[in-house]
Amino acid sequence: MKFRAAIDIMPLPALLDPQGKAVSTNLPNIGLSDISNVRIGKHVTLEVEADSPEAAESQVNEACTKLLVNEIMEGFTFRLEEVK
Amino acid sequence: MKFRAAIDIMPLPALLDPQGKAVSTNLPNIGLSDISNVRIGKHVTLEVEADSPEAAESQVNEACTKLLVNEIMEGFTFRLEEVK
């Protein structure tokens, strides 16, 4: 079975996010003063070949914790869906 | 009304994604050879103050096209939900 995963990797809430802060600060300059709390992270999509949704999930988890995510500074969530 | 938007900004499918390619190439080295087609983009969350979901949507669209997204190289999708 083939699965597609969509992973969101965001800076932890307790940490400053300078990139998001820069965007928040500059939005009023382009006329968008009602937007706040901008935070910027990474979005990763990938495909996994696995026997079950659980096996796919564990592979995605491993890819995140071993390679994609710095867990000291970032948290992650992901969605899995089967590709027909 | 306050809304929270989650925006996914990805390199267009027709374009190379060197960062994703580097990850794809290296996953087998950490024992994950069943993962393929890794693509890496940005995930942005923000809050919008607006009178209606439509107004919020138009503001998020404007923030994306004017500031967050380079539409020559990237495409974006977003989800909006009301914050109670």
Side-chain angles (χ1 to χ4, degrees):
Chain A
M1 294 158 87
K2 191 173 232 179
F3 299 87
R4 185 171 292 127
I7 308 164
D8 294 330
I9 303 171
M10 297 299 288
L12 293 175
L15 295 181
L16 283 176
D17 170 20
Q19 210 185 347
K21 179 85 183 140
V23 171
S24 294
T25 309
N26 283 292
L27 281 169
N29 299 339
I30 57 165
L32 294 165
S33 45
D34 296 332
I35 297 182
S36 60
N37 279 332
V38 182
R39 291 185 77 83
I40 301 184
K42 283 182 285 187
H43 185 70
V44 181
T45 60
L46 49 81
E47 286 173 12
V48 201
E49 195 64 51
D51 296 333
S52 67
E54 292 72 28
E57 199 176 311
S58 108
Q59 287 205 54
V60 174
N61 237 317
E62 199 176 336
C64 284
T65 51
K66 281 196 181 168
L67 188 63
L68 296 167
V69 180
N70 170 358
E71 288 187 285
I72 295 169
M73 302 178 62
E74 297 166 327
F76 69 97
T77 56
F78 63 87
R79 305 179 293 284
L80 263 184
E81 63 182 32
E82 197 179 338
V83 184
K84 308 288 177 191
Chain B
M1 294 157 86
K2 190 173 231 178
F3 299 87
R4 184 171 293 125
I7 308 165
D8 294 331
I9 304 172
M10 296 300 287
L12 293 176
L15 296 180
L16 283 177
D17 170 19
Q19 210 184 347
K21 180 86 181 138
V23 171
S24 294
T25 309
N26 283 290
L27 281 170
N29 299 338
I30 58 165
L32 294 165
S33 45
D34 296 331
I35 297 182
S36 59
N37 279 332
V38 182
R39 291 185 76 81
I40 300 184
K42 283 182 286 186
H43 185 69
V44 182
T45 59
L46 49 81
E47 285 172 13
V48 202
E49 194 64 52
D51 296 334
S52 67
E54 292 73 28
E57 199 176 311
S58 108
Q59 287 205 55
V60 174
N61 238 316
E62 200 175 336
C64 284
T65 52
K66 282 194 180 170
L67 188 63
L68 295 168
V69 181
N70 170 358
E71 287 187 285
I72 296 170
M73 299 178 63
E74 296 167 326
F76 68 97
T77 56
F78 63 88
R79 305 179 294 284
L80 262 186
E81 62 182 33
E82 197 179 338
V83 183
K84 308 291 178 190

